[in-house]
Amino acid sequence: MTQVENHELSKLKQDEVAIVMVPLPAQGHLNQLLQLSCLISSYHHPVYYVGLATHNRQARIALNPSNISKLHFHDLPNPELIAFETIWDASMHLRDPIASFIRDISSKVRRVIVVHDPMMSYNVQDVSSLPNAESYIFNNISVFSCYIIMCLFLKTSVQHEEELLKKLYSFEGVTTDEAMDLSDSQHPYMDIRSGDIHNTSKVIERKYIDSMEQAELSLNKKQWAIGPILPTKLDYISNKEDVCLDWLNKQPPRSVLYVSFGTTTSLSDRQIKELAMGLEQSKQRFIWVLRDADRGDIDRKVELPQGFEERVKGVGLVVREWTPQLQILAHSSTGGFMSHCDWTSCLESITMGVPIGVWPIHTNQPINGFLVTDILKVGLLVRDWGKREEVVSASTIQNVVRKLMASEEGDTIRKRAEELGEAVRQSTEKGGAFQIELDSFIAHITR
Ligand SMILES: *[C@@H]1O[C@H](CO)[C@@H](O)[C@H](O)[C@H]1NC(C)=O
Ligand SMILES: *[C@@H]1O[C@H](CO)[C@@H](O)[C@H](O)[C@H]1NC(C)=O
Ligand SMILES: *[C@@H]1O[C@H](CO)[C@@H](O)[C@H](O)[C@H]1NC(C)=O
């Protein structure tokens, strides 16, 4: 431990409650708990962010000075010293350094609250041996999918949800074996937690938050919906030129379909051709984010049908670089989003009041898709999970796009999406559901 940290721990007061954040030490997972740390630190309890030294250095660079000064960073030994192979191995080797840090703090304060990534459950298990420590999981997935996954894990279909579970097509192939193994390895330690925090809004998922709270399912764990935690300022790039936003400025209201499957997903060449033809034949306006990330072979260039970009000129825009997704969804010309339905995309689209064309690709995406289409009724299915071995044909795509963007049914769905988005945005304002939940969590941990 560095001297600075010793000094900070010695400043802790006996009657205080200290909060320790334990993210999964992997790129793409660090930011979530960092955001939450900043939010919680505004309540003036000491907040410690526990990460590998290299990650902590990055985090400090990413934050503005006012946030840095409110957080304490605790460095874990760097990877070389532990010599693990993959992040999954790493997530099983940090138990001792984390335990000793939590123990140190617990001896100095009234109570220690550990908030951690679900995949760090093994590493924080020593909380259970400290009388004044308790832990909470932070979930950045939909509560609905937590709930369904829990039902699958417990292999019991909940009585009054039987109908629902029946309607959900087979969930085979929903997660990879590797992810299942990892979850299996963490699962035994998840019972230690005292509750869950979710990046969702009660306005969206109240029913399933209530279901989660039911004793027989989650062993009476408390649940809070502290979300959506979005960047407060949507106009942060407005003084920069952006191709998509410029283009959107010239289109009629609610007329553009935004098509994006995220950074880590690629479709097959054949599927891309069908998608191109489907979009063209729909005659609807679109922005298509076509990135070929994570393919391994950098040379592969996605082939669009010959002359495609010429033919759709003025109607469709193909972009191959990063796009400001949230700003695009918030733009008044955007009227639909074709998405693979990871929770980030769903939550952003719902919050901005944009209906979704559901095209799930893996993990919990089909479950999120079901939430969007069948429960919230703010979207239409493009890719049926039950037929995931098949290529989605151009004619299917064309039909769904027309229905979503240019039909009475589409208008009804869009109206519902706009109303839901409005309600979600209102819930993040002062005194809304978001603040009530956050206050309630703080009140609970400092009781
Ligand atoms: C939440 O999870 C999604 C999907 O795993 C990820 O893309 C996103 O960056 C996460 N949010 C934060 C703040 O890290
Ligand atoms: C940091 O602090 C500012 C206010 O000073 C706040 O607006 C912002 O959302 C905070 N969070 C992060 C992650 O930077
Ligand atoms: C919560 O979800 C929103 C929308 O997807 C995302 O932008 C934000 O980074 C997430 N926050 C956390 C703390 O995971």
Side-chain angles (χ1 to χ4, degrees):
M1 202 181 288
T2 66
Q3 280 179 340
V4 176
E5 279 172 273
N6 272 327
H7 177 64
E8 276 167 358
L9 286 194
S10 74
K11 276 201 300 199
L12 285 169
K13 297 189 203 77
Q14 198 103 66
D15 60 346
E16 227 161 11
V17 173
I19 297 139
V20 177
M21 296 284 181
V22 185
L24 183 70
Q27 298 296 348
H29 292 261
L30 306 166
N31 212 14
Q32 317 172 18
L33 285 182
L34 200 56
Q35 274 186 353
L36 192 64
S37 302
C38 294
L39 265 180
I40 289 181
S41 69
S42 65
Y43 288 77
H44 307 295
H45 302 288
V47 178
Y48 294 84
Y49 182 87
V50 175
L52 302 178
T54 43
H55 291 156
N56 283 352
R57 211 171 309 129
Q58 285 171 21
R60 280 196 208 92
I61 293 168
L63 288 179
N64 65 25
S66 79
N67 281 322
I68 296 176
S69 67
K70 283 189 285 186
L71 301 181
H72 308 286
F73 289 89
H74 177 72
D75 293 348
L76 293 172
N78 260 323
E80 324 61 281
L81 301 177
I82 313 175
F84 52 72
E85 302 256 295
T86 67
I87 178 56
W88 308 128
D89 294 337
S91 69
M92 301 295 280
H93 283 94
L94 294 167
R95 179 180 169 185
D96 290 342
I98 290 173
S100 92
F101 180 63
I102 297 173
R103 207 174 301 117
D104 273 352
I105 295 195
S106 78
S107 66
K108 296 189 168 63
V109 293
R110 179 162 69 87
R111 186 182 295 132
V112 184
I113 300 298
V114 176
V115 178
H116 64 95
D117 190 286
M119 293 307 160
M120 293 299 274
S121 301
Y122 171 86
N123 285 304
V124 301
Q125 62 180 286
D126 297 283
V127 159
S128 66
S129 65
L130 299 167
N132 64 340
E134 41 193 62
S135 65
Y136 297 85
I137 282 180
F138 177 74
N139 274 315
N140 180 20
I141 61 175
S142 61
V143 173
F144 180 63
S145 65
C146 283
Y147 178 67
I148 295 297
I149 290 165
M150 201 163 64
C151 293
L152 291 178
F153 254 116
L154 301 181
K155 296 193 173 62
T156 58
S157 63
V158 193
Q159 289 255 296
H160 56 281
E161 295 295 358
E162 222 141 65
E163 277 309 297
L164 172 70
L165 288 170
K166 231 185 280 163
K167 275 179 78 183
L168 285 162
Y169 27 68
S170 145
F171 273 106
E172 243 172 81
V174 157
T175 62
T176 60
D177 287 347
E178 193 197 28
M180 259 327 210
D181 286 350
L182 184 71
S183 299
D184 278 339
S185 67
Q186 300 294 329
H187 206 254
Y189 306 99
M190 287 187 179
D191 285 351
I192 293 165
R193 77 195 197 280
S194 304
D196 299 310
I197 304 169
H198 304 276
N199 187 6
T200 190
S201 168
K202 278 208 161 161
V203 174
I204 307 170
E205 299 196 273
R206 183 183 303 277
K207 178 159 183 245
Y208 298 98
I209 294 161
D210 292 347
S211 302
M212 284 284 284
E213 237 157 14
Q214 278 165 17
E216 76 266 44
L217 264 180
S218 56
L219 309 164
N220 228 342
K221 311 290 188 204
K222 288 197 155 293
Q223 308 289 318
W224 290 273
I226 305 182
I229 310 171
L230 296 173
T232 38
K233 281 223 168 59
L234 276 179
D235 54 1
Y236 74 101
I237 59 152
S238 62
N239 48 3
K240 267 209 263 155
E241 289 270 314
D242 182 82
V243 189
C244 296
L245 298 177
D246 277 355
W247 192 80
L248 280 170
N249 284 340
K250 296 178 206 124
Q251 312 305 321
R254 301 276 172 256
S255 67
V256 177
L257 177 72
Y258 174 60
V259 183
S260 173
F261 300 106
T263 47
T264 54
T265 345
S266 318
L267 305 176
S268 70
D269 289 350
R270 232 193 104 201
Q271 184 60 81
I272 285 169
K273 285 215 174 78
E274 294 292 320
L275 179 51
M277 285 176 341
L279 288 173
E280 185 180 352
Q281 286 158 11
S282 77
K283 303 216 165 14
Q284 300 303 306
R285 293 183 171 80
F286 64 87
I287 293 177
W288 183 6
V289 185
L290 191 55
R291 268 187 304 192
D292 201 31
D294 278 19
R295 261 286 167 138
D297 45 1
I298 297 153
D299 287 341
R300 175 183 184 254
K301 180 154 174 357
V302 174
E303 292 280 349
L304 290 170
Q306 216 173 9
F308 176 78
E309 280 175 83
E310 265 312 301
R311 286 198 303 278
V312 299
K313 209 166 188 158
V315 179
L317 181 69
V318 177
V319 278
R320 294 170 192 272
E321 52 284 334
W322 181 87
T323 52
Q325 175 163 303
L326 194 59
Q327 278 75 12
I328 290 173
L329 291 171
H331 197 287
S332 60
S333 300
T334 304
F337 180 16
M338 192 186 287
S339 168
H340 60 312
C341 288
D342 69 333
W343 185 234
T344 300
S345 296
C346 289
L347 198 52
E348 290 183 351
S349 204
I350 291 170
T351 305
M352 293 309 154
V354 176
I356 303 172
V358 170
W359 187 309
I361 293 178
H362 58 69
T363 51
N364 52 9
Q365 295 161 7
I367 309 180
N368 293 339
F370 186 89
L371 174 70
V372 165
T373 54
D374 284 61
I375 295 173
L376 300 172
K377 299 189 179 3
V378 293
L380 291 173
L381 199 62
V382 190
R383 186 193 198 213
D384 186 341
W385 188 248
K387 298 184 190 154
R388 63 189 174 281
E389 305 299 338
E390 298 166 24
V391 171
V392 186
S393 70
S395 70
T396 301
I397 295 163
Q398 173 201 325
N399 284 335
V400 182
V401 171
R402 281 231 187 100
K403 204 190 246 185
L404 189 65
M405 302 304 292
S407 80
E408 232 170 82
E409 187 184 347
D411 287 344
T412 309
I413 293 175
R414 190 161 17 262
K415 187 148 181 293
R416 207 178 293 123
E418 281 168 14
E419 286 165 3
L420 180 59
E422 178 63 36
V424 173
R425 291 194 303 276
Q426 266 182 21
S427 77
T428 64
E429 274 160 25
K430 207 160 183 274
F434 178 96
Q435 201 195 348
I436 293 172
E437 290 284 290
L438 184 55
D439 286 349
S440 147
F441 176 66
I442 301 293
H444 176 74
I445 61 176
T446 56
R447 67 196 182 278

